[in-house]
Amino acid sequence: MRHVIFWLLAAAAFCSSASECPGRVDDWSKSFLSLRSVRGHFDGGPWTASVDRWGGERHQAMQCLARHATTEAAAATQITQWMGPPDERLSCPSAACQAFAADVAAAGELWVYHWRGQHDRLGFVITRGRVSAATWAHAGE
């Protein structure tokens, strides 16, 4: 039950935060790319609010990029331009894909970008070369 409540709260936070995306896609892209290589607490570095905090700059940029990509059904090549190459590319269907999110079995691939290391990640469901959905995998602590 605790996990169900966590996922409902995470989904609500994602939706409410994602609806507040000031700026343009180029702004979110610049923010994400500038913070992508910053090692935070979950990557073995010191706690860094801009990359580790819920709602921090990296988290917000990822949320806004995910919302925009799904709304526009962005091409996979566009995701690479906005965010660089994914940290992981999972072929679907597969056990790794299912472990990330149960609803992506029919997708061709899942492109995974780390927010806070392996701890919390954003996945783009890529179907026929386009983003068909975005999904988060949170550690749920």
Side-chain angles (χ1 to χ4, degrees), residues 48-59:
T48 306
S50 60
V51 298
D52 291 318
R53 184 175 48 88
W54 184 275
E57 291 173 49
R58 182 160 60 187
H59 187 213

Side-chain angles (χ1 to χ4, degrees), residues 17 35 38-43 46-63 115-116 119-120 136 138:
S17 297
L35 293 169
V38 175
R39 292 178 58 133
H41 173 75
F42 300 93
D43 296 323
W47 174 268
T48 306
S50 60
V51 298
D52 291 318
R53 184 175 48 88
W54 184 275
E57 291 173 49
R58 182 160 60 187
H59 187 213
Q60 283 183 344
M62 292 175 81
Q63 288 177 317
W115 164 31
R116 301 190 297 187
H119 198 263
D120 299 299
W136 285 91
H138 296 287

